[in-house]
């Protein structure tokens, strides 16, 4: 039976007031002039239920939030959503207290979305389908908003397409939803199809990879994998022999090096002794230089003493009358007694110029000079001896080096050359082995891809077999599709539409076909014909769901402008009457089991106790408290101006 979905009320809240619209009859007709908010009210249903709705400026500018009270399955649900909000508040249906906030889309943290909550309440399966985009299968969730496309016939789409069938992105979902509703598929079959799509993508990717690697191998090296395997074995054998030869050469070199160890140790000892001798020569040279400085200083002191004694002896008898420097007269100069007339300093005491003392000092300095010269000579002799010893040790070092070089040249150097050649040979062989190993790895990759391709094909064959078996199990539901097509044709022909001779529902596309032509071809016959076909299709699905326990069509149908593109001639008015008669028949027959919400400019051409009404005009538009620039208001303003 149809899944129970019903809208009980919708509350529109603005900054100044709020207005609640109730829908407590099997059918409700929303009427009013153009621009009073009929379509906006239907769009607010969709907005409150989490969909993306086209909202008018009046709604966007004045409405703060909407609150919808709905029945989904057996659960009474109250939803509140702000205009522009990306979450919906779930309220307690009795106290209207906030229970929790549900996101509209899946988030990284996971959790239940509004769509998940509504589908679970309806008892409608939550499944994923493999919709292809840009040639790649991608998993897509079937959501409540997708299901709502079967519920809501928008005015701008009602004569253009059927359940969004012209929207390529929605087409896979439309078909899978139809199959789910009419038991032509189930979650198991959908999962098998999704797996088949994934396997097809994997097979395509692995086949492309196989081709790329094969092309690379063909372009890089013509040798086959078998040829490479034989060559690799030969190279590894040659490498083993080359490494053995290299090891033998290194052993011989180590043995020769051991024989030279005594000579090397002797050379190292000689080098150490020569270095110490050079250090001793440097220290002796520094000491001789210091001795020479001492001798020079004593000689300087003796010279100074000699000059001082000579000056005293020769100059003291003279009485200077002129300055010996500038030759100016000193006779007029006033000088104290006991002071020098030239320098004006006190005359020295007799003890200071004692010749005996001066002689004694000279004797001491001469003895010091002699001692210093003796020490200097001794240090110079030591320096000379050190230099000779250093030269002898350096000569010994040179001799030992020549001896070692000669021995190395004759015995070691040839082995070094052989080791170098052998090492180069080993390195070349290893490089060749690495290159062939990489090529063989690519061949191994080709074999692995080949195996993967075989496994994927085998798995896909099994999945396709399972799909076929599962489809056979569900084939009994195809009879439902035949009955549905028959009822659709009967309803459409009962409306006596011009040029309509046959009408069926296609078994592959699940879309209406009129006179053997698809829905799009009806555009040439006029919008009224297309609107009638679209309405007949949705009404047939609704009635069929209410009559069959296995069918999961929602019990709600929202129709915007069912008389779109109808004229005012007698036949058009009769056609509109026939459509509303169908609405009344279904409302009377099914009662509370269904709900029809219809927006129309004019009052319905029939009356029924099953019909409720919501009426708008320019004084009382859908958005409460908002003045509408309708013709009555314009006329009123003009009258006020004239008064």
């Amino acid at each position: 039976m149809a899944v129970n979905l019903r809208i009980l009320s919708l509350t529109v809240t603005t900054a100044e007031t709020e207005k609640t619209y109730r829908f407590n009859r099997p059918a409700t007709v929303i009427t009013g002039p153009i621009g009073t908010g009929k379509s906006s009210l239907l769009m607010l249903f969709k907005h409150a239920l989490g969909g993306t709705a086209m909202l008018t400026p009046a709604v966007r500018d004045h409405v703060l939030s909407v609150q919808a009270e709905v029945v989904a399955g057996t659960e009474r649900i109250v939803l509140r959503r702000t205009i522009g909000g990306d979450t919906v508040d779930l309220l307690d249906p009795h106290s209207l207290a906030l229970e929790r906030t549900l996101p509209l889309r899946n988030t990284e943290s996971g959790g239940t979305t509004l769509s998940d909550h509504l589908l679970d309440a309806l008892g409608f399966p939550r499944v994923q389908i493999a919709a292809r985009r840009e040639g790649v299968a991608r998993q897509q969730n079937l959501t409540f908003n997708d299901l709502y496309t079967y519920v809501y016939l928008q005015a701008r789409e009602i004569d253009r397409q059927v359940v969004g069938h012209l929207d390529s992105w929605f087409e896979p979902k439309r078909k899978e939803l139809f199959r789910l509703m009419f038991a032509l598929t189930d979650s198991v079959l959908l999962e098998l199809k999704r797996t088949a799509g994934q396997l097809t993508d994997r097979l395509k990717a692995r086949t492309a990879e196989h081709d790329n690697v094969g092309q690379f191998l063909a372009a890089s090296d013509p040798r086959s994998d078998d040829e490479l395997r034989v060559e690799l074995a030969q190279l590894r054998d040659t490498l083993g022999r080359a490494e053995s030869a290299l090891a033998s050469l290194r052993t011989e070199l180590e043995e020769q090096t051991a024989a030279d160890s005594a000579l090397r140790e002797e050379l190292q000892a000689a080098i150490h002794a020569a270095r110490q001798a050079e250090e001793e020569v440097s220290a002796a040279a520094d000491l001789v230089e210091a001795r020479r400085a001492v001798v020079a200083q004593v000689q300087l002191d003796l010279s100074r003493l000699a000059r001082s004694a000579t000056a005293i002896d020769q100059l003291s008898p003279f009485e200077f009358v002129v300055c010996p420097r500038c030759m100016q007269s000193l006779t007029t100069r006033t000088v104290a007694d006991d002071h020098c007339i030239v320098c004006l300093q006190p005359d020295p005491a007799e003890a200071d110029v004692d010749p005996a003392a001066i002689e004694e000092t000279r004797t001491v300095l001469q003895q010091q000079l002699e001692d210093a010269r003796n020490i200097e000579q001794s240090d110079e002799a030591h320096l000379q001896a050190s230099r000779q010893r250093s030269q002898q040790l350096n000569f010994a070092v040179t001799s030992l080096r020549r001896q070692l070089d000669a021995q190395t040249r004759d015995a070691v150097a040839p082995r070094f050359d052989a080791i170098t050649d052998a090492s180069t040979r080993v390195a070349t062989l290893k490089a060749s082995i690495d290159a062939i190993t990489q090529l063989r790895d690519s061949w191994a990759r080709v074999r692995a891809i080949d195996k993967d391709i075989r496994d994927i094909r085998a798995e896909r064959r099994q999945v396709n077999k399972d799909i076929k078996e599962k489809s056979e199990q569900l084939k009994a539901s195809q009879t439902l599709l035949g009955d549905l097509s028959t009822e659709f044709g009967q309803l459409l022909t009962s409306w006596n539409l011009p040029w309509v001779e046959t009408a069926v529902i296609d078994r592959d596309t699940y879309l209406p076909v009129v006179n053997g032509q698809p829905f799009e071809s009806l555009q040439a016959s006029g919008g009224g014909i297309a609107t009638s076909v679209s309405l007949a299709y949705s009404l047939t699905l609704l009635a069929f769901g209410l009559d069959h326990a296995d069918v999961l069509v929602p019990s709600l149908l929202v129709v915007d402008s069912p008389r779109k593109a109808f004229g005012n001639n007698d036949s058009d008015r009769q056609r509109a009457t026939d459509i509303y008669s169908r609405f009344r028949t279904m409302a009377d027959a099914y009662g509370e089991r269904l709900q029809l919400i219809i927006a129309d400019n004019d009052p319905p051409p029939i009356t029924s106790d099953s019909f409720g009404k919501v009426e708008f005009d320019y004084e009382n538009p859908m958005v409460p408290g908002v003045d509408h620039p309708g013709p009555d208001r314009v006329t009123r303003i003009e009258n006020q101006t004239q008064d």
Side-chain angles (χ1 to χ4, degrees):
M1 61 180 296
V3 293
N4 186 30
L5 178 63
R6 187 179 188 86
I7 298 174
L8 301 180
S9 67
L10 184 80
T11 300
V12 180
T13 302
T14 66
E16 293 80 17
T17 185
E18 67 179 20
K19 175 72 173 179
T20 298
Y21 301 99
R22 301 192 180 279
F23 308 91
N24 49 16
R25 299 286 183 88
T28 301
V29 180
I30 305 168
T31 63
I34 295 173
T36 54
K38 303 182 299 299
S39 296
S40 293
L41 183 62
L42 303 187
M43 281 291 179
L44 286 177
F45 291 162
K46 184 178 180 181
H47 182 75
L49 292 170
T52 301
M54 297 177 59
L55 303 179
T56 63
V59 172
R60 294 196 303 269
D61 294 343
H62 299 285
V63 177
L64 301 179
S65 65
V66 290
Q67 179 175 302
E69 183 179 4
V70 302
V71 174
T74 59
E75 183 178 351
R76 185 170 162 231
I77 301 172
V78 179
L79 304 171
R80 180 177 62 203
R81 183 182 178 186
T82 60
I83 301 301
D86 55 3
T87 59
V88 174
D89 293 334
L90 182 63
L91 308 181
D92 181 271
H94 303 290
S95 66
L96 299 183
L98 177 64
E99 290 185 347
R100 55 177 168 154
T101 298
L102 299 173
L104 300 183
R105 298 173 183 83
N106 290 319
T107 60
E108 293 182 358
S109 58
T112 302
T113 64
L114 176 63
S115 172
D116 297 336
H117 185 83
L118 291 174
L119 289 177
D120 290 343
L122 290 172
F124 199 88
R126 278 199 281 154
V127 296
Q128 289 183 323
I129 64 170
R132 303 192 72 82
R133 181 177 297 177
E134 298 178 355
V136 178
R138 302 180 184 277
Q139 296 182 9
Q140 290 187 352
N141 293 324
L142 288 179
T143 67
F144 175 81
N145 288 325
D146 298 329
L147 182 63
Y148 197 73
T149 307
Y150 272 94
V151 170
Y152 182 21
L153 277 65
Q154 299 185 46
R156 67 189 184 96
E157 303 292 346
I158 195 171
D159 62 343
R160 191 181 77 88
Q161 59 180 336
V162 177
V163 196
H165 80 283
L166 295 181
D167 296 330
S168 59
W169 63 270
F170 182 68
E171 182 66 358
K173 290 187 172 185
R174 179 192 68 81
K175 290 182 178 180
E176 292 301 344
L177 282 168
F178 188 96
R179 295 185 186 108
L180 282 169
M181 289 189 297
F182 286 87
L184 300 174
T185 188
D186 58 14
S187 58
V188 174
L189 183 56
L190 286 175
E191 181 63 25
L192 287 172
K193 289 182 177 180
R194 188 158 58 88
T195 301
Q198 292 173 343
L199 290 172
T200 298
D201 289 338
R202 283 178 55 197
L203 180 61
K204 182 179 178 181
R206 295 299 274 172
T207 301
E209 185 179 4
H210 181 278
D211 293 342
N212 290 336
V213 176
Q215 291 172 4
F216 164 76
L217 287 171
S220 60
D221 197 299
R223 292 171 292 182
S224 67
D225 189 33
D226 291 336
E227 292 173 335
L228 290 171
R229 182 173 62 254
V230 172
E231 186 172 347
L232 182 60
Q234 294 173 348
L235 285 172
R236 284 174 174 166
D237 182 62
T238 304
L239 176 62
R241 293 195 300 271
E243 287 178 336
S244 296
L246 178 60
S248 298
L249 288 171
R250 285 175 173 166
T251 301
E252 292 176 6
L253 180 61
E254 290 173 358
E255 292 173 353
Q256 183 61 45
T257 302
D260 296 337
S261 60
L263 183 58
R264 292 181 184 277
E265 290 176 0
E266 185 179 354
L267 174 60
Q268 291 297 326
I271 292 172
H272 180 68
R275 188 177 296 113
Q276 287 183 334
E278 289 175 355
E279 292 174 355
E280 187 176 348
V281 168
S282 177
D286 292 341
L287 186 58
V288 168
E289 188 64 29
R291 299 305 185 194
R292 288 173 180 171
V294 172
V295 170
Q297 182 62 47
V298 174
Q299 288 176 336
L300 183 60
D301 291 342
L302 279 171
S303 177
R304 188 185 302 112
L305 180 62
R307 289 196 302 272
S308 176
T310 300
I312 292 172
D313 290 342
Q314 293 181 2
L315 297 178
S316 58
F318 294 98
E319 289 292 336
F320 286 89
V321 293
V322 294
C323 176
R325 179 178 178 277
C326 64
M327 303 306 292
Q328 296 185 62
S329 175
L330 298 176
T331 57
T332 61
R333 194 176 193 184
T334 303
V335 180
D337 294 339
D338 302 329
H339 283 71
C340 176
I341 195 171
V342 178
C343 67
L344 301 181
Q345 294 187 72
D347 290 332
E350 291 296 334
D352 294 337
V353 294
D354 184 7
I358 292 173
E359 185 62 28
E360 183 180 354
T361 301
R362 180 183 295 112
T363 301
V364 172
L365 288 173
Q366 287 177 343
Q367 183 62 46
Q368 289 178 353
L369 178 59
E370 183 178 356
D371 292 342
R373 283 175 173 169
N374 291 334
I375 295 173
E376 179 185 2
Q377 291 175 357
S378 176
D379 289 340
E380 285 181 348
H382 178 68
L383 174 60
Q384 186 64 28
S386 297
R387 283 175 175 167
Q388 291 177 354
R389 184 169 179 273
S390 177
Q391 290 174 355
Q392 293 171 354
L393 290 173
N394 284 329
F395 179 77
V397 169
T398 301
S399 298
L400 289 171
R401 279 178 173 163
R402 288 176 179 173
Q403 183 180 352
L404 182 61
D405 288 343
Q407 187 168 322
T408 302
R409 181 177 61 253
D410 297 336
V412 177
R415 289 183 173 83
F416 269 124
D417 293 339
I419 287 173
T420 301
D421 293 342
S423 297
T424 302
R425 174 67 171 160
V426 168
T428 302
L429 289 169
K430 286 183 176 179
S432 299
I433 289 173
D434 288 342
I436 292 179
T437 300
Q438 290 178 359
L439 288 172
R440 293 213 64 210
D441 288 344
S442 297
W443 280 108
R445 184 179 172 192
V446 169
R447 291 193 297 274
I449 296 173
D450 278 335
K451 184 179 182 304
D452 259 2
I453 290 175
R454 290 194 300 272
D455 292 344
I456 292 171
R457 284 174 174 166
E459 186 178 357
R460 190 174 66 166
R461 283 194 298 270
Q462 182 60 49
V463 170
N464 287 333
K465 180 181 178 182
D466 294 341
I467 290 174
K468 186 176 181 180
E469 291 177 355
K470 186 64 179 177
S471 299
E472 287 295 325
Q473 295 174 8
L474 297 170
K475 199 169 184 178
S477 299
Q478 292 289 340
T479 57
L480 289 177
L481 187 57
D483 295 341
L484 177 71
S485 180
T486 299
E487 291 189 14
F488 168 69
Q490 291 173 349
L491 173 59
L492 195 59
T493 54
S494 71
W495 287 349
N496 297 315
L497 297 172
W499 308 300
V500 173
E501 298 177 0
T502 62
V504 296
I505 293 178
D506 188 89
R507 289 181 174 271
D508 296 322
T509 65
Y510 315 120
L511 292 172
V513 175
V514 178
N515 297 337
Q517 300 297 318
F519 181 82
E520 298 91 287
S521 65
L522 299 177
Q523 300 289 338
S525 302
I529 299 293
T531 300
S532 299
V533 173
S534 182
L535 274 171
Y537 179 81
S538 294
L539 289 171
T540 302
L541 264 59
L542 175 59
F544 204 83
L546 293 167
D547 291 337
H548 294 79
D550 296 334
V551 176
L552 300 178
V553 175
S555 63
L556 169 66
L557 184 62
V558 179
V559 183
D560 192 354
S561 303
R563 289 183 280 185
K564 183 180 180 181
F566 282 15
N568 289 318
N569 56 50
D570 292 342
S571 61
D572 285 340
R573 286 195 294 271
Q574 181 58 47
R575 195 172 302 123
T577 300
D578 292 342
I579 290 173
Y580 269 91
S581 294
R582 181 64 177 178
F583 290 155
R584 182 182 61 189
T585 299
M586 293 182 66
D588 292 342
Y590 297 109
E592 297 298 328
R593 293 176 57 199
L594 65 65
Q595 185 177 32
L596 298 170
I597 299 178
I598 306 151
D600 208 343
N601 290 338
D602 299 320
I606 60 174
T607 59
S608 172
D609 292 338
S610 299
F611 278 49
K613 286 186 179 181
V614 175
E615 297 179 295
F616 296 136
D617 56 34
Y618 292 119
E619 295 296 330
N620 299 286
M622 186 274 295
V623 180
V626 176
D627 289 336
H628 193 286
D632 293 342
R633 181 170 179 268
V634 173
T635 302
R636 187 169 62 254
I637 292 174
E638 290 175 350
N639 293 336
Q640 291 175 353
T641 303
Q642 292 174 359
D643 293 342

